[in-house]
Amino acid sequence: MKRFIFIALITYFASDYIKAQDFLPFASSNYAGVTGVALQPASIADSRYKFDMGMVSSSFNLDNNFFSIDPYALWHIRSFIREDKDFESYYSKNYNGDSKAGYISLKQDLMSFMVSLSDKDAFAFTPSARTIFNIDNVTEDFVHLIDSSLKYQELWNVSLNNDQFSIQSNNWVEYGITYARVLLDQKEHFLKAGATMKINQGIVSAYVFGDDINYKLINDDTLSMYNTTFRVGSSDNFYEDLSNVKYKFQTNPSLGFDFGIVYEYRPNWKDYTYEMDGVTNIWRKNQDKYLLRVGISVTDLGGVRYNRHPESRDFYANYEDIPIGSWEIDSRAYVDSLIDQYFKRLDVDSKYRMNSPAAVSFQFDLRLAEGLYFNFTPYFALEQGTNDINKVHYVSALNFVPRYDTKWFGISFPVQYNQYKHLNIGMGIRVGPVWFGMNDFFSLLTSKQNRYGTSGTMILKLPILYKAPHDMDGDHVSDDNDLCPDIPGLVELNGCPDTDRDGVADLSDRCPNLPGSKEFYGCPDKDGDGVTDEKDLCPDVKGLVQFSGCPDSDGDGIIDQNDACPFNAGTVAMNGCPDQDEDGIADKDDNCPTVPGTREFHGCPYIDTDGDGINDQNDKCPGVKGPSDNNGCPYQDTDNDSIPDKDDECPSIAGSRVFRGCPDTDGDGISDKYDICPTIPGVPENNGCPEIKKEEQEILRKAFDNLEFETGKAVIRSSSFSSLDELAMVMKKRSEFKLSLAGHTDNVGSPESNMTLSKNRVYSVKAYLAKNGVEPDRIKTEWFGQSKPISPNTTPEGRQKNRRVEMNIIFE
């Protein structure tokens, strides 16, 4: 009980539920894929993967410099539990005078993935659940007292100090979005970079921090503390009372960032390129090209924001002879009262930020032989400063990882020396999609020394790797595109050979040693007339087979080179030209080629049948007189209104010249062609229809707007009478007006009932107007029920607009 009281003063808000992570055996692998993002964001650019998904990825690390366990107990833990063996004989405590520290981490990735977007860039999404727990700067004096339940008398009545005592815990979820791209590709020198933006969402955190703890234990019942400040706090969801801890997501998303850059030295770069399908110097995506790879990355910049628990405080203590032996802690309220009695509470801000475990690492990777590599990764954990009370951190370490890497199998033997001065030798093995590793596998398996920590990694993947290019005959045409996959050929002929280089593959070339044409299966025919050059009398001119390749364009039996009219069939007498009227004048020189004539009239006789002064050969209407400007034909006038059809806008209806051949039936000065009301005099402003004055339009609008019926009935409400009366007066005054009424309803009720209702309402309006002196035959009625809404029926306003009787002035 006394020991618990003493611990409670220091760890007032601390948590014992811890989670955290690391992927050391695989992070440096060339086949790390999405797993490598955590160490180096740039790694996914120029990856061996088209796509890589970590379906489940878990890793944990545990280390400290005080408590150690015999490896035998770890390997036989089940037998210790079953046989109730004395476990204390298998662990030891390290009292070497150094301050004590401890560290636990766990990382759990679920369905993280990366995808290569192109040869130069890649994208990754890495959702993770993470926890880090740190204990730092615990003096050995303090450990002695706790370990002895405050009965370590050598430290009684001794002034003790524990500077920068720290317990930190942070449990959060992060959603990482990574983009990586090749920045420089000069074959021998290759550079890529990447960045990850993380959205961090806190789950729970807690901290205990002692700036300068000065205390003296008088005996196991009495404690004095001098000028000591404790900073103790947690997120507001950490607990309700000492026995009730509640975890939930905090609604304070924060940002975090990783940055990385990688340089590769590729002196033998040509060995890792190939030519395929007409493209040269293509990188082999399935191979690693470097001799030396060097990278630097800065990870976990940022933090997680929390709402501080209202009872989080800074405590100041300067009190002697605190009787801790008399305390009986049976409730949270009792603890609060004891603290209030001997400690001063100092107010703090309502929010705080728990800094992420920032780190800087360098990666040096050397290729020793094909598939064999040696990696050196010094890892420097930041956020270990003694002045930062809200942070978690990793443990700095030097990592040496020799490994053997192939497509579906890899094995590594990480050797790690960390800041706790612990040397671990581990193993990582991957077989297809299953990966398993431990940073201290061999240390646990072979060492007889007690172990201060352990670690483990398990990954289940869904990978899609790039394949080697397939070119069985070595002609630089991929097998998928090669029509002759067993014989080296040309790219332009889909991998088939062409000895005479005529564009016809040898397997289809009837003249494989003479350049020819595809039409003649590789044999030459320069003029393309279907007669091969060796048989063609006109090899440079396309001709006919019956004329040994010479042309006869007009088909008159006289080859073109001897034909005066090569494109018109003629006779030998006319040197290949025609003479249809046989007047001795070739048609090409005869203006009347079908009527015998004289050379005086260029082969035409002089005839003017209609006597209009135009020779029949030029007269389009030789039997009817007509003007010369119409080629001897008279102009047509279909409606006999003395206006030629070409100038008549109404060629089939007699009209006047004033209206360009159209009539004006109603005499309103507007041609019937443009008059919408051709039988009723009107005005131009209304397209020939009678004028509807502005005040008359307003009366019509008012009658429509004010028209209302009893609900569900065709009875007009009295509030509508006055506006309908005004409409009736206009209709009586303007006898040329006719009125169109159209009834509509909303969709409430059945379509049949709504159709009847719209009909009855239209008839009600018509009856009312007729009662007030408007002739019924001047009122046109129609009804549509709910079929023509003007607004959605989903709202009361829309349905109200759809219940209407539309009114329009018409003319007939």
Side-chain angles (χ1 to χ4, degrees), residues 629 635-639 641-653 655-662 671 673-674:
D629 61 353
Y635 290 111
Q636 187 174 359
D637 180 16
T638 303
D639 54 12
D641 58 0
S642 301
I643 301 171
D645 289 355
K646 68 183 182 67
D647 300 322
D648 197 332
E649 290 187 354
C650 301
S652 61
I653 304 173
S656 64
R657 290 189 180 276
V658 174
F659 299 110
R660 298 181 63 84
C662 292
S671 168
K673 182 176 180 180
Y674 306 105

mmCIF file of all heavy atoms in Angstrom, residues 629 635-639 641-653 655-662 671 673-674:
data_model
loop_
_atom_site.group_PDB
_atom_site.id
_atom_site.type_symbol
_atom_site.label_atom_id
_atom_site.label_comp_id
_atom_site.label_asym_id
_atom_site.label_seq_id
_atom_site.Cartn_x
_atom_site.Cartn_y
_atom_site.Cartn_z
ATOM 1 N N ASP A 629 -32.014 37.879 -121.701
ATOM 2 C CA ASP A 629 -31.467 37.737 -120.349
ATOM 3 C C ASP A 629 -31.995 36.497 -119.635
ATOM 4 O O ASP A 629 -31.524 36.157 -118.543
ATOM 5 C CB ASP A 629 -31.744 38.992 -119.510
ATOM 6 C CG ASP A 629 -33.242 39.268 -119.355
ATOM 7 O OD1 ASP A 629 -34.061 38.578 -120.001
ATOM 8 O OD2 ASP A 629 -33.566 40.171 -118.564
ATOM 9 N N TYR A 635 -40.517 34.534 -118.692
ATOM 10 C CA TYR A 635 -40.619 34.373 -117.248
ATOM 11 C C TYR A 635 -41.988 33.813 -116.876
ATOM 12 O O TYR A 635 -42.996 34.150 -117.473
ATOM 13 C CB TYR A 635 -40.414 35.714 -116.529
ATOM 14 C CG TYR A 635 -38.987 36.209 -116.605
ATOM 15 C CD1 TYR A 635 -38.659 37.341 -117.353
ATOM 16 C CD2 TYR A 635 -37.986 35.537 -115.929
ATOM 17 C CE1 TYR A 635 -37.359 37.799 -117.412
ATOM 18 C CE2 TYR A 635 -36.674 35.985 -115.982
ATOM 19 C CZ TYR A 635 -36.361 37.113 -116.723
ATOM 20 O OH TYR A 635 -35.082 37.541 -116.774
ATOM 21 N N GLN A 636 -42.091 32.995 -115.804
ATOM 22 C CA GLN A 636 -43.325 32.362 -115.376
ATOM 23 C C GLN A 636 -44.064 33.252 -114.375
ATOM 24 O O GLN A 636 -43.458 33.892 -113.521
ATOM 25 C CB GLN A 636 -43.023 31.009 -114.723
ATOM 26 C CG GLN A 636 -44.254 30.193 -114.386
ATOM 27 C CD GLN A 636 -43.889 28.800 -113.887
ATOM 28 O OE1 GLN A 636 -42.708 28.479 -113.832
ATOM 29 N NE2 GLN A 636 -44.884 28.016 -113.542
ATOM 30 N N ASP A 637 -45.426 33.295 -114.495
ATOM 31 C CA ASP A 637 -46.281 34.035 -113.540
ATOM 32 C C ASP A 637 -47.471 33.135 -113.222
ATOM 33 O O ASP A 637 -48.520 33.195 -113.856
ATOM 34 C CB ASP A 637 -46.745 35.360 -114.150
ATOM 35 C CG ASP A 637 -47.624 36.152 -113.195
ATOM 36 O OD1 ASP A 637 -47.612 35.830 -111.986
ATOM 37 O OD2 ASP A 637 -48.305 37.097 -113.638
ATOM 38 N N THR A 638 -47.308 32.272 -112.178
ATOM 39 C CA THR A 638 -48.286 31.228 -111.865
ATOM 40 C C THR A 638 -49.656 31.798 -111.521
ATOM 41 O O THR A 638 -50.696 31.295 -111.973
ATOM 42 C CB THR A 638 -47.778 30.366 -110.699
ATOM 43 O OG1 THR A 638 -46.500 29.823 -111.048
ATOM 44 C CG2 THR A 638 -48.734 29.233 -110.384
ATOM 45 N N ASP A 639 -49.706 32.894 -110.707
ATOM 46 C CA ASP A 639 -51.011 33.419 -110.263
ATOM 47 C C ASP A 639 -51.548 34.543 -111.155
ATOM 48 O O ASP A 639 -52.559 35.173 -110.853
ATOM 49 C CB ASP A 639 -50.900 33.909 -108.805
ATOM 50 C CG ASP A 639 -49.767 34.908 -108.610
ATOM 51 O OD1 ASP A 639 -49.210 35.401 -109.617
ATOM 52 O OD2 ASP A 639 -49.419 35.171 -107.432
ATOM 53 N N ASP A 641 -50.696 37.552 -111.718
ATOM 54 C CA ASP A 641 -50.888 38.882 -111.128
ATOM 55 C C ASP A 641 -49.892 39.877 -111.693
ATOM 56 O O ASP A 641 -49.649 40.931 -111.095
ATOM 57 C CB ASP A 641 -50.769 38.817 -109.601
ATOM 58 C CG ASP A 641 -49.435 38.259 -109.138
ATOM 59 O OD1 ASP A 641 -48.571 37.920 -109.987
ATOM 60 O OD2 ASP A 641 -49.226 38.141 -107.898
ATOM 61 N N SER A 642 -49.300 39.511 -112.863
ATOM 62 C CA SER A 642 -48.354 40.378 -113.574
ATOM 63 C C SER A 642 -47.043 40.556 -112.815
ATOM 64 O O SER A 642 -46.277 41.472 -113.110
ATOM 65 C CB SER A 642 -48.983 41.762 -113.856
ATOM 66 O OG SER A 642 -50.144 41.640 -114.636
ATOM 67 N N ILE A 643 -46.832 39.708 -111.839
ATOM 68 C CA ILE A 643 -45.560 39.751 -111.096
ATOM 69 C C ILE A 643 -44.895 38.408 -111.328
ATOM 70 O O ILE A 643 -45.436 37.374 -110.921
ATOM 71 C CB ILE A 643 -45.780 39.995 -109.590
ATOM 72 C CG1 ILE A 643 -46.527 41.311 -109.380
ATOM 73 C CG2 ILE A 643 -44.447 40.006 -108.833
ATOM 74 C CD1 ILE A 643 -46.975 41.524 -107.946
ATOM 75 N N PRO A 644 -43.726 38.376 -111.981
ATOM 76 C CA PRO A 644 -43.057 37.088 -112.238
ATOM 77 C C PRO A 644 -42.800 36.331 -110.935
ATOM 78 O O PRO A 644 -42.554 36.939 -109.892
ATOM 79 C CB PRO A 644 -41.751 37.508 -112.923
ATOM 80 C CG PRO A 644 -41.992 38.876 -113.447
ATOM 81 C CD PRO A 644 -42.949 39.532 -112.518
ATOM 82 N N ASP A 645 -42.884 35.001 -111.059
ATOM 83 C CA ASP A 645 -42.695 34.167 -109.864
ATOM 84 C C ASP A 645 -41.377 34.454 -109.163
ATOM 85 O O ASP A 645 -41.284 34.368 -107.931
ATOM 86 C CB ASP A 645 -42.753 32.682 -110.227
ATOM 87 C CG ASP A 645 -44.173 32.245 -110.589
ATOM 88 O OD1 ASP A 645 -45.092 33.070 -110.467
ATOM 89 O OD2 ASP A 645 -44.325 31.073 -110.991
ATOM 90 N N LYS A 646 -40.347 34.827 -109.918
ATOM 91 C CA LYS A 646 -39.055 35.069 -109.298
ATOM 92 C C LYS A 646 -39.081 36.282 -108.379
ATOM 93 O O LYS A 646 -38.231 36.414 -107.490
ATOM 94 C CB LYS A 646 -37.981 35.254 -110.369
ATOM 95 C CG LYS A 646 -38.090 36.526 -111.213
ATOM 96 C CD LYS A 646 -37.029 36.568 -112.298
ATOM 97 C CE LYS A 646 -37.095 37.865 -113.108
ATOM 98 N NZ LYS A 646 -36.734 39.028 -112.291
ATOM 99 N N ASP A 647 -40.047 37.194 -108.598
ATOM 100 C CA ASP A 647 -40.159 38.377 -107.739
ATOM 101 C C ASP A 647 -41.376 38.312 -106.836
ATOM 102 O O ASP A 647 -41.652 39.267 -106.091
ATOM 103 C CB ASP A 647 -40.253 39.643 -108.610
ATOM 104 C CG ASP A 647 -39.040 39.817 -109.502
ATOM 105 O OD1 ASP A 647 -37.931 39.508 -109.016
ATOM 106 O OD2 ASP A 647 -39.187 40.250 -110.651
ATOM 107 N N ASP A 648 -42.151 37.206 -106.919
ATOM 108 C CA ASP A 648 -43.437 37.098 -106.222
ATOM 109 C C ASP A 648 -43.264 36.275 -104.938
ATOM 110 O O ASP A 648 -42.878 35.112 -104.971
ATOM 111 C CB ASP A 648 -44.461 36.405 -107.139
ATOM 112 C CG ASP A 648 -45.886 36.628 -106.663
ATOM 113 O OD1 ASP A 648 -46.068 36.811 -105.447
ATOM 114 O OD2 ASP A 648 -46.798 36.598 -107.518
ATOM 115 N N GLU A 649 -43.514 36.927 -103.725
ATOM 116 C CA GLU A 649 -43.412 36.216 -102.459
ATOM 117 C C GLU A 649 -44.580 35.262 -102.251
ATOM 118 O O GLU A 649 -44.500 34.362 -101.416
ATOM 119 C CB GLU A 649 -43.336 37.201 -101.280
ATOM 120 C CG GLU A 649 -42.031 37.967 -101.231
ATOM 121 C CD GLU A 649 -41.903 38.793 -99.975
ATOM 122 O OE1 GLU A 649 -42.885 38.858 -99.203
ATOM 123 O OE2 GLU A 649 -40.827 39.393 -99.749
ATOM 124 N N CYS A 650 -45.677 35.452 -103.019
ATOM 125 C CA CYS A 650 -46.819 34.532 -102.966
ATOM 126 C C CYS A 650 -47.133 34.130 -104.403
ATOM 127 O O CYS A 650 -48.125 34.581 -104.999
ATOM 128 C CB CYS A 650 -48.035 35.195 -102.308
ATOM 129 S SG CYS A 650 -47.753 35.775 -100.630
ATOM 130 N N PRO A 651 -46.275 33.272 -105.012
ATOM 131 C CA PRO A 651 -46.398 32.991 -106.454
ATOM 132 C C PRO A 651 -47.687 32.261 -106.826
ATOM 133 O O PRO A 651 -48.072 32.283 -107.990
ATOM 134 C CB PRO A 651 -45.163 32.158 -106.754
ATOM 135 C CG PRO A 651 -44.808 31.544 -105.440
ATOM 136 C CD PRO A 651 -45.149 32.550 -104.408
ATOM 137 N N SER A 652 -48.363 31.616 -105.867
ATOM 138 C CA SER A 652 -49.572 30.855 -106.195
ATOM 139 C C SER A 652 -50.860 31.606 -105.819
ATOM 140 O O SER A 652 -51.952 31.091 -106.045
ATOM 141 C CB SER A 652 -49.533 29.496 -105.491
ATOM 142 O OG SER A 652 -49.492 29.675 -104.094
ATOM 143 N N ILE A 653 -50.735 32.813 -105.223
ATOM 144 C CA ILE A 653 -51.908 33.611 -104.818
ATOM 145 C C ILE A 653 -51.743 35.008 -105.389
ATOM 146 O O ILE A 653 -50.717 35.661 -105.150
ATOM 147 C CB ILE A 653 -52.037 33.681 -103.287
ATOM 148 C CG1 ILE A 653 -52.104 32.282 -102.688
ATOM 149 C CG2 ILE A 653 -53.272 34.481 -102.889
ATOM 150 C CD1 ILE A 653 -52.068 32.283 -101.168
ATOM 151 N N GLY A 655 -51.708 38.831 -105.851
ATOM 152 C CA GLY A 655 -51.568 39.921 -104.888
ATOM 153 C C GLY A 655 -51.213 41.206 -105.592
ATOM 154 O O GLY A 655 -51.437 41.370 -106.789
ATOM 155 N N SER A 656 -50.651 42.113 -104.829
ATOM 156 C CA SER A 656 -50.301 43.418 -105.387
ATOM 157 C C SER A 656 -48.810 43.648 -105.261
ATOM 158 O O SER A 656 -48.135 42.998 -104.453
ATOM 159 C CB SER A 656 -51.042 44.530 -104.641
ATOM 160 O OG SER A 656 -50.626 44.582 -103.285
ATOM 161 N N ARG A 657 -48.311 44.589 -106.055
ATOM 162 C CA ARG A 657 -46.893 44.883 -106.017
ATOM 163 C C ARG A 657 -46.496 45.511 -104.686
ATOM 164 O O ARG A 657 -45.356 45.389 -104.250
ATOM 165 C CB ARG A 657 -46.521 45.816 -107.172
ATOM 166 C CG ARG A 657 -46.589 45.144 -108.540
ATOM 167 C CD ARG A 657 -46.011 46.022 -109.640
ATOM 168 N NE ARG A 657 -46.083 45.360 -110.922
ATOM 169 C CZ ARG A 657 -45.180 44.500 -111.357
ATOM 170 N NH1 ARG A 657 -44.133 44.215 -110.602
ATOM 171 N NH2 ARG A 657 -45.306 43.926 -112.534
ATOM 172 N N VAL A 658 -47.469 46.206 -104.065
ATOM 173 C CA VAL A 658 -47.166 46.854 -102.773
ATOM 174 C C VAL A 658 -46.688 45.811 -101.769
ATOM 175 O O VAL A 658 -45.788 46.056 -100.974
ATOM 176 C CB VAL A 658 -48.398 47.599 -102.234
ATOM 177 C CG1 VAL A 658 -48.122 48.144 -100.833
ATOM 178 C CG2 VAL A 658 -48.796 48.722 -103.176
ATOM 179 N N PHE A 659 -47.327 44.613 -101.820
ATOM 180 C CA PHE A 659 -46.969 43.529 -100.882
ATOM 181 C C PHE A 659 -46.176 42.434 -101.575
ATOM 182 O O PHE A 659 -46.243 41.269 -101.177
ATOM 183 C CB PHE A 659 -48.230 42.951 -100.243
ATOM 184 C CG PHE A 659 -49.022 43.956 -99.451
ATOM 185 C CD1 PHE A 659 -50.259 44.401 -99.899
ATOM 186 C CD2 PHE A 659 -48.502 44.481 -98.277
ATOM 187 C CE1 PHE A 659 -50.971 45.345 -99.173
ATOM 188 C CE2 PHE A 659 -49.220 45.414 -97.551
ATOM 189 C CZ PHE A 659 -50.461 45.865 -97.996
ATOM 190 N N ARG A 660 -45.396 42.807 -102.641
ATOM 191 C CA ARG A 660 -44.510 41.882 -103.367
ATOM 192 C C ARG A 660 -45.257 40.636 -103.803
ATOM 193 O O ARG A 660 -44.803 39.512 -103.625
ATOM 194 C CB ARG A 660 -43.305 41.511 -102.522
ATOM 195 C CG ARG A 660 -42.419 42.699 -102.170
ATOM 196 C CD ARG A 660 -41.208 42.267 -101.352
ATOM 197 N NE ARG A 660 -40.354 41.362 -102.107
ATOM 198 C CZ ARG A 660 -39.418 41.734 -102.986
ATOM 199 N NH1 ARG A 660 -39.236 43.029 -103.228
ATOM 200 N NH2 ARG A 660 -38.700 40.841 -103.623
ATOM 201 N N GLY A 661 -46.484 40.866 -104.352
ATOM 202 C CA GLY A 661 -47.242 39.771 -104.926
ATOM 203 C C GLY A 661 -48.155 39.064 -103.948
ATOM 204 O O GLY A 661 -48.808 38.093 -104.318
ATOM 205 N N CYS A 662 -48.223 39.481 -102.681
ATOM 206 C CA CYS A 662 -49.073 38.836 -101.684
ATOM 207 C C CYS A 662 -50.303 39.714 -101.420
ATOM 208 O O CYS A 662 -50.267 40.940 -101.552
ATOM 209 C CB CYS A 662 -48.321 38.622 -100.375
ATOM 210 S SG CYS A 662 -46.994 37.399 -100.503
ATOM 211 N N SER A 671 -49.115 42.336 -94.951
ATOM 212 C CA SER A 671 -49.249 41.241 -95.910
ATOM 213 C C SER A 671 -49.704 39.976 -95.202
ATOM 214 O O SER A 671 -49.284 39.687 -94.080
ATOM 215 C CB SER A 671 -47.906 41.024 -96.602
ATOM 216 O OG SER A 671 -47.915 39.818 -97.329
ATOM 217 N N LYS A 673 -48.811 37.143 -95.675
ATOM 218 C CA LYS A 673 -47.671 36.261 -95.416
ATOM 219 C C LYS A 673 -47.125 36.470 -93.998
ATOM 220 O O LYS A 673 -46.610 35.545 -93.379
ATOM 221 C CB LYS A 673 -46.566 36.516 -96.443
ATOM 222 C CG LYS A 673 -45.356 35.602 -96.281
ATOM 223 C CD LYS A 673 -44.352 35.828 -97.383
ATOM 224 C CE LYS A 673 -43.152 34.899 -97.213
ATOM 225 N NZ LYS A 673 -42.149 35.079 -98.277
ATOM 226 N N TYR A 674 -47.224 37.678 -93.468
ATOM 227 C CA TYR A 674 -46.689 38.018 -92.154
ATOM 228 C C TYR A 674 -47.776 38.308 -91.136
ATOM 229 O O TYR A 674 -47.469 38.682 -90.002
ATOM 230 C CB TYR A 674 -45.760 39.226 -92.260
ATOM 231 C CG TYR A 674 -44.665 39.041 -93.277
ATOM 232 C CD1 TYR A 674 -44.697 39.686 -94.512
ATOM 233 C CD2 TYR A 674 -43.597 38.183 -93.026
ATOM 234 C CE1 TYR A 674 -43.693 39.500 -95.452
ATOM 235 C CE2 TYR A 674 -42.584 37.986 -93.959
ATOM 236 C CZ TYR A 674 -42.644 38.644 -95.170
ATOM 237 O OH TYR A 674 -41.652 38.447 -96.086
#
